Amino acid sequence: MQLTTRKIVVAGVLLAVALVLAFTGLGYFPVPNVSDSATIMHVPSIIGGVLEGPVVGLLVSAVFAVDAYIRFGFLFAGAPAYLPFLILLVPRLLIGVAAWLVYRAMKNTNEIVALTLGAVAGTLTNTILVVGLALIFWGQIPAFAGVPQAAFVASVIPQAVFETILAAVVTVAVVAAWKRIETGRGKSSV
Amino acid sequence: MGEDFELLRNVTIGQYIPTGSPVHRLDPRAKIIALVLLVTAFSITLSPPVSLLLLAGVALIAWAARIPLGYLARGLLPMLPFLVILFTFQIIFRGQADRQGQVIFEWGFLRLTHNSWPVVAVGLIRVVAFVTLASLLTLTTTTTHLTHGVESLLGPLRVVGFPAHEVALVLAIAFRFVPTLIEELDRVARAQASRLGHTGAASRWRPDKTLRARLPLIVPLFLSALRRAEELILAMEARCYVSGRRRSRLWRFQPTPLDYAVVAAGLALVALVWSLG
């Protein structure tokens, strides 16, 4: 696998942005739900994937994956050792890749639409895979014992919707300003 | 308003405190391996006393590294609301699931039983330990040493085509840019505040308001990072940097007996915790 200077540097600075968002708490939006916060920690991975391809998306996702393990790893106390890696790490690593795939497929239609759909795809890949895998391995996770599956899914939906909107808004705002794309309100000039 | 500008006030991960302790002088590779082994030890135990003993061990490492425990504890403050909410739910759900269990404490929905409290306690200790260990690694290791350590440990993967040097460089760039970007963020926050913007406002019940308040910080943060990336790419290419080439080092790590002892102790600890359950 060969990484160009551009890919190395962009992955590095986006990783720095992800770390800053995590350290300062700016990446977490307080919302009234079980996990206490909706996150935009996945947006650097989406932007990395959209701007520089799947490898950069994957590299930047790694920090979000480790952060998720630190925050939610304890929920898997008593579960098989591979489960936290499968449920917390793998879906997050795929965020940038999914965003890149959708963005590349849609790029020729309309850049803003492609960016929005890329961000939506990246976010939903994470949410759907995490929720899907949690439901598949439900019986093996003691933390979920006694929680109705429907209640779990219902509690995730508002957060997923909000995170998807957040990701789309931030991705379009950043990439449109960076690439100087016309957004319909005149040229962006941030 | 003042607190909006002190974004790093309670952040301990990513800082470095040069106390010149024996922990600081350890080979970074030994420290990274020891960290992974300690995280493994915490992850495989379900016993509150064992977890507490391990946490005491972490405090001992902090003492040996001459890092004040109060300073480390401050790093946990930003996570406090998250921890409280999650663990309240844990107490409710795990207690409600264990209907047959002997009740220790019950108040409304909150229900702690003999079977549920150990898992909740171990979970809490685990989060505290993970954050503290991550902080300890960066507090006692310079970013240069950390990235060289990562590169050296990933080195063997080069035979299967893994770009170990490049990944280490990505990490080095990331660590290098964190303080720069935080400074930039601080500047943007002050600039917005001087124009009467409420950039720090966060409303739990109106996330749209939070988004509106934070976008003027987040978008410039990304754009400033990308702009700096372009400058760095130009600077690296102007100096003929080519990725994938073999490089020599100014100095190499020489592991001492103490480094081997630390790794051996970590392995012994994992084996011991594994046998204790």
Side-chain angles (χ1 to χ4, degrees):
Chain A
M1 187 167 48
Q2 182 78 12
L3 281 169
T4 59
T5 310
R6 168 168 289 277
K7 286 192 193 324
I8 294 170
V9 173
V10 173
V13 291
L14 287 176
L15 202 59
V17 172
L19 289 171
V20 169
L21 290 178
F23 289 171
T24 57
L26 266 183
Y28 295 96
F29 286 67
V31 286
N33 103 332
V34 185
S35 68
D36 180 50
S37 56
T39 179
I40 55 156
M41 282 288 292
H42 56 301
V43 172
S45 333
I46 293 173
I47 292 178
V50 162
L51 288 180
E52 295 299 333
V55 180
V56 173
L58 193 97
L59 279 171
V60 183
S61 302
V63 72
F64 182 43
V66 173
D67 182 69
Y69 185 76
I70 291 177
R71 282 173 176 257
F72 297 106
F74 75 90
L75 283 173
F76 294 85
Y82 66 88
L83 266 190
F85 296 99
L86 182 68
I87 298 179
L88 294 177
L89 301 191
V90 175
R92 284 173 175 84
L93 290 177
L94 295 175
I95 294 169
V97 182
W100 167 74
L101 276 173
V102 172
Y103 172 73
R104 202 184 60 160
M106 302 294 295
K107 204 165 82 172
N108 293 331
T109 54
N110 178 310
E111 190 92 6
I112 298 295
V113 173
L115 284 172
T116 311
L117 292 180
V120 170
T123 315
L124 290 185
T125 301
N126 178 35
T127 310
I128 291 172
L129 280 180
V130 169
V131 173
L133 287 168
L135 291 178
I136 292 170
F137 293 100
W138 195 263
Q140 295 181 44
I141 308 168
F144 293 155
V147 183
Q149 288 191 345
F152 171 70
V153 175
S155 76
V156 169
I157 289 172
Q159 178 169 350
V161 171
F162 185 57
E163 281 181 0
T164 311
I165 296 169
L166 276 180
V169 170
V170 177
T171 306
V172 171
V174 170
V175 182
W178 181 242
K179 289 184 152 188
R180 306 212 178 275
I181 300 167
E182 301 238 10
T183 55
R185 294 198 300 177
K187 274 193 174 173
S188 49
S189 56
V190 180
Chain B
M1 198 67 196
E3 66 205 34
D4 298 346
F5 305 128
E6 293 174 38
L7 295 161
L8 265 183
R9 199 176 36 165
N10 289 323
V11 176
T12 51
I13 299 180
Q15 309 272 347
Y16 175 72
I17 300 184
T19 65
S21 76
V23 181
H24 285 70
R25 289 196 298 272
L26 282 175
D27 188 313
R29 291 169 299 180
K31 278 189 261 190
I32 296 169
I33 296 173
L35 173 102
V36 172
L37 291 171
L38 271 169
V39 167
T40 311
F42 272 106
S43 301
I44 56 180
T45 184
L46 275 177
S47 149
V50 173
S51 294
L52 266 182
L53 275 176
L54 285 172
L55 194 63
V58 174
L60 206 65
I61 298 172
W63 173 77
R66 297 181 209 138
I67 305 288
L69 284 179
Y71 182 77
L72 275 174
R74 247 173 48 200
L76 292 164
L77 280 181
M79 286 189 83
L80 212 56
F82 164 81
L83 285 178
V84 169
I85 291 183
L86 262 181
F87 282 94
T88 311
F89 277 101
Q90 282 288 292
I91 291 170
I92 295 171
F93 290 133
R94 293 212 191 223
Q96 295 297 332
D98 184 31
R99 296 309 307 178
Q100 269 81 46
Q102 198 185 337
V103 177
I104 302 169
F105 164 83
E106 192 164 12
W107 185 64
F109 276 113
L110 296 176
R111 180 184 155 94
L112 213 55
T113 68
H114 263 289
N115 296 326
S116 73
W117 82 264
V119 196
V120 176
V122 168
L124 182 64
I125 296 171
R126 223 180 254 190
V127 181
V128 170
F130 286 177
V131 176
T132 311
L133 280 170
S135 303
L136 266 179
L137 180 68
T138 57
L139 284 167
T140 60
T141 320
T142 62
T143 51
T144 319
H145 281 182
L146 207 57
T147 46
H148 285 172
V150 170
E151 182 178 354
S152 174
L153 287 173
L154 292 175
L157 291 174
R158 264 198 297 255
V159 290
V160 291
F162 185 81
H165 165 75
E166 286 75 7
V167 169
L169 185 57
V170 168
L171 281 181
I173 291 172
F175 287 139
R176 164 66 189 80
F177 270 91
V178 167
T180 313
L181 291 180
I182 291 200
E183 233 169 72
E184 186 89 20
L185 199 58
D186 199 60
R187 206 165 27 238
V188 175
R190 284 174 197 276
Q192 301 283 6
S194 71
R195 292 161 179 81
L196 298 178
H198 292 286
T199 48
S203 161
R204 189 172 299 279
W205 299 97
R206 290 291 305 274
D208 57 313
K209 274 193 175 172
T210 319
L211 175 65
R212 214 169 298 160
R214 285 190 185 176
L215 262 187
L217 281 184
I218 293 168
V219 175
L221 174 71
F222 273 101
L223 291 178
S224 148
L226 290 170
R227 208 171 297 131
R228 283 170 190 277
E230 289 299 330
E231 287 166 11
L232 184 58
I233 293 165
L234 195 67
M236 283 169 76
E237 285 177 347
R239 286 160 182 79
C240 302
Y241 174 84
V242 181
S243 69
R245 293 282 167 84
R246 279 194 75 79
R247 285 178 171 76
S248 56
R249 281 270 177 75
L250 184 59
W251 36 262
R252 293 186 173 276
F253 296 124
Q254 282 299 337
T256 62
L258 185 63
D259 297 317
Y260 288 114
V262 165
V263 175
L267 283 170
L269 189 73
V270 172
L272 183 70
V273 172
W274 182 269
S275 63
L276 288 172

